[in-house]
Amino acid sequence: KIQNNRGKIHFTFQGIRLGGCLFLFCICLSCRYNGKEAYKKIDAVKIQLKSGDIILRDGNDGVSEAARNFNRTDKSYSHCGIIQIERDSVFVYHALGGHFNPSQKLLRQPLETFCDPQEVNKFAVFRYRLNEQEESKLSTWVKDRYTEGLSFDLFFNFDTDDKMYCSEFVFKGLNYATSGDLNKFLIKENDVLYVTIDDLYLNGKAQKVVKVDF
C-alpha cells in the first residue's frame, strides 16, 4: 500500500513535470514562430530601401528609454543610423556607445541585426530627396568615417567632428551631402547646440518610407 501511494505520488510528479515541459515547449515554439514572422517583416521592406535612407529604431531596454526622453517632441525612437545598399545587402552604419559596443567605434551591421526583434519594438525608415551626386557624397562620407574608426561621443558635443553620437552622425552626413542645406534646422537651447533623433524626421525634409512594429 505504501509502495502504491509512493507510486501514485511519483506518477503524479512525473505528470506535472511532463506537463510543465510541454507548456515550456509550446512557449518556445510560439516565440520561435513570432521571431520568424518578425524577420519576414524585415525582409519584406528591403526592396523599398535605398542608400542614404535614415533608419530609426525603438529599443526595449532602459538605456533606450532614456534616449527616447532626449528627443524634443516625438519620443517614439531611441536610436538611428544611415542605410547603405552594398552588393544587394542592406547595412546600417550607426554610432553607438556603452556596453552595447565595447569598441565605441562606428558600427556597420546588417539590417536584421540593427532591427533585432528581440531587442527592438519597432523601426521606421525616412528618406531625404537626394540627387545622384548627393547620394554618392553621403555614401563616401559614411564609409570614410567607418574606415577611420569614428568614435562615439560620450559627452554629446556637437561642435567636435572626431567623435559623434547617433543623431549627430546622421545629421552631419546628410548636411555634408547637401552642402549645408540642413544648417537651418539646427536648434540651440540654453546656449547648447545639439541634434535629437526626432529633429531628423520632423523638419519637413524627410518623408516616411515604411514603419514596422514587432
Side-chain angles (χ1 to χ4, degrees):
K1 185 175 182 179
I2 294 176
Q3 290 178 347
N4 287 340
N5 285 338
R6 287 179 178 173
K8 288 179 181 178
I9 292 171
H10 181 69
F11 177 78
T12 302
F13 172 75
Q14 292 282 48
I16 293 172
R17 185 170 63 180
L18 179 60
C21 289
L22 287 173
F23 177 70
L24 290 174
F25 178 69
C26 289
I27 290 178
C28 289
L29 282 179
S30 176
C31 292
R32 206 162 156 197
Y33 173 79
N34 291 336
K36 286 183 178 179
E37 290 302 305
Y39 282 111
K40 284 181 181 179
K41 289 184 178 181
I42 297 173
D43 285 335
V45 306
K46 288 182 178 180
I47 58 172
Q48 303 179 56
L49 308 180
K50 60 184 297 187
S51 291
D53 287 345
I54 63 173
I55 184 167
L56 322 162
R57 76 182 184 194
D58 175 36
N60 56 23
D61 59 280
V63 174
S64 296
E65 182 178 0
R68 284 193 298 272
N69 290 326
F70 184 67
N71 293 329
R72 298 184 206 275
T73 305
D74 183 8
K75 305 191 184 294
S76 299
Y77 301 101
S78 59
H79 191 52
C80 59
I82 298 176
I83 288 174
Q84 291 290 292
I85 312 297
E86 300 171 8
R87 295 184 179 178
D88 297 325
S89 295
V90 183
F91 291 95
V92 179
Y93 289 78
H94 59 114
L96 185 67
H99 68 275
F100 300 104
N101 179 23
S103 74
Q104 308 297 302
K105 303 297 184 183
L106 189 69
L107 290 174
R108 171 184 177 270
Q109 294 182 321
L111 181 65
E112 296 85 353
T113 303
F114 183 85
C115 300
D116 186 347
Q118 295 184 28
E119 301 175 356
V120 175
N121 297 316
K122 61 178 177 286
F123 73 91
V125 176
F126 284 79
R127 178 173 298 157
Y128 284 71
R129 291 182 176 177
L130 305 178
N131 58 41
E132 188 174 336
Q133 182 181 5
E134 290 170 337
E135 287 180 15
S136 179
K137 283 180 65 178
L138 179 58
S139 293
T140 299
W141 185 88
V142 166
K143 292 170 185 177
D144 284 348
R145 299 294 81 72
Y146 178 73
T147 300
E148 71 187 21
L150 179 70
S151 296
F152 182 78
D153 190 352
L154 294 170
F155 298 100
F156 294 82
N157 185 354
F158 188 82
D159 296 324
T160 59
D161 292 335
D162 59 328
K163 296 180 180 180
M164 298 183 194
Y165 52 92
C166 69
S167 49
E168 177 189 4
F169 167 71
V170 173
F171 179 89
K172 286 185 174 177
L174 288 166
N175 200 37
Y176 169 78
T178 58
S179 302
D181 187 50
L182 303 187
N183 281 330
K184 56 181 176 259
F185 299 120
L186 286 174
I187 299 174
K188 181 177 286 189
E189 292 185 6
N190 299 321
D191 293 325
V192 178
L193 188 65
Y194 63 94
V195 174
T196 61
I197 293 170
D198 57 332
D199 285 341
L200 299 172
Y201 60 91
L202 294 180
N203 55 29
K205 280 280 190 178
Q207 295 182 328
K208 185 169 72 173
V209 176
V210 66
K211 178 187 174 187
V212 176
D213 291 286
F214 294 130

